[in-house]
Amino acid sequence: MSHSCDDRLMKGGVFMVNIPEMFGSMVFNDAIMRQRLPKDVYKSLTDTIQTGKMIDVSIANVVANAMKDWAVEKGATHYTHWFQPLTNMTAEKHDSFISPIGGDKVVMEFSGKELIKGESDASSFPSGGLRETCNARGYTAWDPSSYAFIKDGTLYIPTVFCSYTGDALDTKTPLLRSMDAISEQSLHILSLLGDNTASRVAASSGVEQEYFLINKEYYEQREDLLYTGRTLFGCPAPKNQQLEDHYYGPLKTKIGAFMAELDRELWELGITSKTKHNEVAPSQHELAPIFTTCNVAVDQNLIIMEMIKRVAERHGLVALLHEKPYATLNGSGKHNNWSIATDTGINLFSPGKNPASNTRFLIFLSAVIKAVDDYQDLLRLSVAIPGNDHRLGADEAPPAIVSIFLGDELEELIEAIVGDIDYQDKARRTMDLGVPSVPTFRYDSTDRNRTSPFAFTGNKFEFRMVGSSQNIAMSNIVLNTATAKVLKDFANELEGKSDIESAARALIKKTLKAHKRIIFNGNGYSKAWPIEAEKRGLLNLRTSVDALEYLTKEKNVALFTEFGVMSEVELHAREEIMYENYSNIIDIEAKTMVDMTNKRIIPAIEQYIGSLSAIARDKASVFGGSVGTELERAIVTRLSRLAHIAYDKAERLSLKAQESAAIKESDASAFSYKEKVVPLMRELRAAVDEAEGIVPADIWPLPSYGEMTMKQ
Ligand code: ADP
Ligand code: MG
């Protein structure tokens, strides 16, 4: 916190601060720009921000200087270009503002050049072969559409990151390109439908972030958490989420204090942290800000993840953002709520009161339906990281099959359109609970279906497959670009038609008919769904590795290159990076398991065996044959067997990991990890977890599931 403690009044653990005054105080936002920039500079900058046009270099110096003055007044001494390399994290390199002026003196300076462009010898970032280490030059370039902000005495400037040859080495560049694509294509369709009032269509995203909190003391005792972010061993606690008493439960005092501080940190940074609650699994929580344009939402989500971790530390906690920190407990996802809206304030996914006669809505709805059907593979791929493999298809998360939930009302409407049946828009029903003092209210037009990976929720789509640790850029890139593509094809069909309305109606009908198979309103968790999905010809890419090869399939290369979102070279590089990332993660997990087995788990089992043997020996020598030693024998026999299995599995695991690592081609290597290493990890774990169930807690070297999830 940048506040000192004494400028706030503490009342029952609550800081009394003027929230509206404090909100965004660390952001170089529109209000500050208006205040601090000359009128013409302000106008030119906001033009750039709103239209995505190129920034005029001449104004950069003025902006840089104003930014620096503002930042220095707020106590900043450094600035950094802040970017999103292909590591699933953010990167920064801090430079101070100081500049020598002779006479052993310095002034604080920041030039337009420094604002616009940064150069980094960034050869250690993944480039998937896009850059040789001998050609290490990489550039960062200012992204004026996301505000600069101050964190830890440093002015953060959101930037894109590319190679010397201009290839994107980050997630932001293609995201910005995809936002332009969907804007342009949406405007084209709108204009064909007779609406020429909008000048930009913005894709927006609202991200619900799930995470676990664990006591730092327990965290530090587990190498698996330290190295991999998830528990590689651990037998389930007697009580986990059976009673469903954690979901929306009252916040523990310590967690409440953590969340209150987190909110304030985020509010200072202009992030509209809005909703917070306990999630289904014990020690699992969720935070959601209010939606904003995709680009800013991505940046903000990255800050949110970092802040969750940092603030947790101040409370003696560690935040686990991994998709599956604990086997058998619910995993963590990230719901990406996505919509598109004009700069005149129209949400293009809003059905209005009469969806049946709302051609604009039906055009955009059918575009999304077709886009999701045509590019199921890419949506699946956008969430393909090893952590998510433990989640997708398990009981609590959407399956690995992509489908769309529309709700009964829209489903009925679509059936009517496809079957030429008369359809009457439904009047909104009112809920009356039969308790006179409780006000009546209206039903929503769609119920919730938690089991669907892609659900229409009133005026937005909620993509629920994203993993909790992931950057949401890729899923937005796919949604924006795929939808842009369909809109473009639609426009080609509508162009030049004399009766646009009937042409549009025919197009909607044709599209819905062809792509109805992707709509599924039933239970996505049911055993019957994968079978049904297969009949419908839908893809079921169970693991990340199965999905990765789709990135460079011809139709997908064609999609991304058509809109200049990613070049073929960039796509191949990304595929390479994703394979390598998969292999690296599994390799680290395997090595960690081997290490823990040999250095911690087997010695602990042996220790217990030793003490049981000593007891048996004592019994025999003190009591002779009159007291049996069958119990010791039974436990020792069972534990010896388990320890031996663990030892053998660890040996084989080590070997298979080495073999997989030695394979040169990144795809074959990743497949080998999936086929040969992952199953052995499961087998090793089973033996160790069984042993944990019978070794005394004070000998077992790792904190238990019960301790970690119940004692925050
Ligand atoms: P839930 O999924 O629990 O129903 P909400 O309806 O409150 O949650 O919305 C969750 C997220 O969706 C929030 O971040 C919210 O700001 C965002 N959201 C709401 N409307 C839109 C929209 N039109 N476009 C994108 N995101 C939206
Ligand atoms: Mg949601």
Side-chain angles (χ1 to χ4, degrees), residues 654-670:
S654 194
L655 196 75
K656 291 291 161 195
Q658 269 174 36
E659 278 174 25
S660 306
I663 299 173
K664 274 224 172 62
E665 301 74 25
S666 60
D667 52 349
S669 176

Side-chain angles (χ1 to χ4, degrees), residues 503-698:
R505 285 277 153 178
L507 179 60
I508 290 163
K509 181 176 164 187
K510 183 175 91 177
T511 308
L512 293 175
K513 203 167 175 175
H515 297 281
K516 239 177 57 171
R517 64 168 187 170
I518 197 78
I519 299 168
F520 177 63
N521 283 339
N523 178 6
Y525 297 170
S526 77
K527 294 265 179 303
W529 171 229
I531 300 163
E532 160 74 14
E534 197 180 333
K535 276 194 213 138
R536 295 187 185 192
L538 300 180
L539 281 173
N540 185 1
L541 303 169
R542 301 194 65 94
T543 72
S544 299
V545 181
D546 301 321
L548 296 185
E549 61 175 340
Y550 284 82
L551 187 60
T552 49
K553 293 249 177 217
E554 209 178 314
K555 83 173 208 320
N556 295 333
V557 173
L559 170 75
F560 287 121
T561 50
E562 179 172 354
F563 294 93
V565 170
M566 281 186 266
S567 68
E568 187 160 2
V569 175
E570 288 170 349
L571 287 165
H572 278 282
R574 262 152 232 256
E575 184 178 298
E576 179 83 10
I577 290 168
M578 286 194 277
Y579 277 124
E580 277 170 12
N581 183 51
Y582 180 91
S583 299
N584 282 331
I585 285 173
I586 305 294
D587 194 66
I588 294 168
E589 289 186 348
K591 286 189 173 124
T592 305
M593 284 187 104
V594 172
D595 222 49
M596 289 172 80
T597 303
N598 290 337
K599 295 184 183 155
R600 307 253 265 148
I601 290 159
I602 292 178
I605 298 175
E606 293 284 277
Q607 185 190 335
Y608 184 40
I609 288 176
S611 70
L612 286 170
S613 308
I615 291 168
R617 208 165 38 237
D618 284 356
K619 272 187 182 174
S621 75
V622 175
F623 305 110
S626 62
V627 177
T629 53
E630 294 81 2
L631 174 64
E632 290 77 15
R633 180 184 299 273
I635 301 176
V636 166
T637 308
R638 189 166 160 206
L639 280 177
S640 287
R641 184 180 62 86
L642 290 171
H644 204 155
I645 294 174
Y647 177 76
D648 282 343
K649 298 279 179 203
E651 284 296 288
R652 292 202 33 221
L653 183 54
S654 194
L655 196 75
K656 291 291 161 195
Q658 269 174 36
E659 278 174 25
S660 306
I663 299 173
K664 274 224 172 62
E665 301 74 25
S666 60
D667 52 349
S669 176
F671 269 101
S672 173
Y673 274 105
K674 180 196 122 185
E675 295 288 330
K676 307 210 166 113
V677 175
V678 171
L680 270 173
M681 287 167 62
R682 229 174 272 136
E683 291 166 27
L684 170 55
R685 176 174 185 149
V688 170
D689 289 358
E690 189 183 331
E692 183 184 345
I694 42 177
V695 172
D698 61 346

Side-chain angles (χ1 to χ4, degrees), residues 1-8 17 22 25-26 264 268:
M1 295 295 282
S2 52
H3 290 285
S4 67
C5 257
D6 51 18
D7 68 353
R8 289 173 300 197
V17 283
M22 166 256 251
S25 57
M26 289 297 173
R264 276 191 309 278
E268 275 193 349

Side-chain angles (χ1 to χ4, degrees), residues 257-310:
F258 153 81
M259 286 185 177
E261 191 172 330
L262 178 60
D263 274 340
R264 276 191 309 278
E265 288 279 10
L266 296 175
W267 290 338
E268 275 193 349
L269 292 170
I271 298 173
T272 50
S273 176
K274 177 81 176 162
T275 310
K276 53 186 179 186
H277 61 81
N278 284 345
E279 258 299 331
V280 174
S283 74
Q284 190 186 27
H285 314 281
E286 179 178 308
L287 181 153
I290 294 170
F291 70 100
T292 173
T293 53
C294 283
N295 174 32
V296 175
V298 168
D299 288 2
Q300 292 192 343
N301 179 249
L302 290 164
I303 300 174
I304 287 171
M305 289 197 283
E306 194 197 322
M307 276 302 168
I308 288 175
K309 286 194 212 153
R310 291 240 228 144

Side-chain angles (χ1 to χ4, degrees), residues 17-314:
V17 283
N18 183 334
I19 306 295
E21 214 166 83
M22 166 256 251
F23 185 84
S25 57
M26 289 297 173
V27 185
F28 196 72
N29 57 21
D30 187 67
I32 301 291
M33 287 185 217
R34 191 192 292 268
Q35 210 181 76
R36 293 190 170 242
L37 295 175
K39 258 208 177 91
D40 53 329
V41 174
Y42 169 75
K43 178 150 186 342
S44 155
L45 183 58
T46 43
D47 266 3
T48 297
I49 293 171
Q50 277 155 15
T51 60
K53 269 192 297 218
M54 184 102 107
I55 187 98
D56 188 295
V57 184
S58 66
I59 69 159
N61 273 322
V62 185
V63 179
N65 200 48
M67 263 187 193
K68 182 258 306 171
D69 285 346
W70 169 81
V72 168
E73 280 167 35
K74 299 249 174 209
T77 52
H78 288 68
Y79 73 91
T80 181
H81 277 198
W82 183 61
F83 56 102
Q84 298 163 29
L86 300 168
T87 52
N88 214 26
M89 282 181 286
T90 56
E92 50 195 76
K93 178 184 117 219
H94 299 201
D95 278 296
S96 73
F97 291 123
I98 64 164
S99 167
I101 48 164
D104 298 329
K105 292 208 179 314
V106 297
V107 288
M108 300 301 253
E109 258 180 17
F110 185 45
S111 70
K113 224 173 77 196
E114 288 167 313
L115 168 64
I116 289 183
K117 190 187 98 178
E119 194 195 316
S120 56
D121 172 13
S123 50
S124 295
F125 292 110
S127 75
L130 273 183
R131 202 181 23 182
E132 311 284 335
T133 12
C134 56
N135 281 330
R137 227 186 259 270
Y139 293 111
T140 51
W142 180 32
D143 164 23
S145 64
S146 182
Y147 295 138
F149 56 93
I150 299 171
K151 194 161 64 75
D152 303 322
T154 299
L155 173 67
Y156 280 73
I157 298 152
T159 60
V160 299
F161 179 45
C162 66
S163 73
Y164 186 64
T165 46
D167 296 309
L169 292 173
D170 68 347
T171 51
K172 192 188 258 272
T173 309
L175 177 63
L176 291 169
R177 293 171 181 162
S178 76
M179 290 170 72
D180 282 344
I182 196 167
S183 175
E184 192 182 325
Q185 300 310 324
S186 302
L187 289 173
H188 191 183
I189 285 283
L190 285 173
S191 119
L192 284 167
L193 294 175
D195 179 356
N196 289 304
T197 52
S199 54
R200 172 94 186 160
V201 168
S204 291
S205 162
V207 192
E208 301 162 62
Q209 174 74 48
E210 292 179 337
Y211 59 95
F212 280 85
L213 290 174
I214 176 177
N215 194 310
K216 187 158 183 261
E217 205 182 307
Y218 296 134
Y219 173 85
E220 287 178 343
Q221 289 174 46
R222 298 201 54 133
E223 289 86 355
D224 47 5
L225 288 178
L226 282 165
Y227 298 146
T228 73
R230 74 178 180 107
T231 55
L232 299 167
F233 301 107
C235 65
K239 177 176 188 292
N240 46 58
Q241 59 195 49
Q242 306 97 318
L243 302 179
E244 302 187 330
D245 51 355
H246 191 254
Y247 192 51
Y248 281 25
L251 302 175
K252 290 180 189 165
T253 311
K254 186 174 176 181
I255 304 304
F258 153 81
M259 286 185 177
E261 191 172 330
L262 178 60
D263 274 340
R264 276 191 309 278
E265 288 279 10
L266 296 175
W267 290 338
E268 275 193 349
L269 292 170
I271 298 173
T272 50
S273 176
K274 177 81 176 162
T275 310
K276 53 186 179 186
H277 61 81
N278 284 345
E279 258 299 331
V280 174
S283 74
Q284 190 186 27
H285 314 281
E286 179 178 308
L287 181 153
I290 294 170
F291 70 100
T292 173
T293 53
C294 283
N295 174 32
V296 175
V298 168
D299 288 2
Q300 292 192 343
N301 179 249
L302 290 164
I303 300 174
I304 287 171
M305 289 197 283
E306 194 197 322
M307 276 302 168
I308 288 175
K309 286 194 212 153
R310 291 240 228 144
V311 176
E313 235 179 278
R314 293 184 212 144

Side-chain angles (χ1 to χ4, degrees), residues 208 335 450 462:
E208 301 162 62
H335 293 174
R450 288 280 159 202
E462 186 169 337

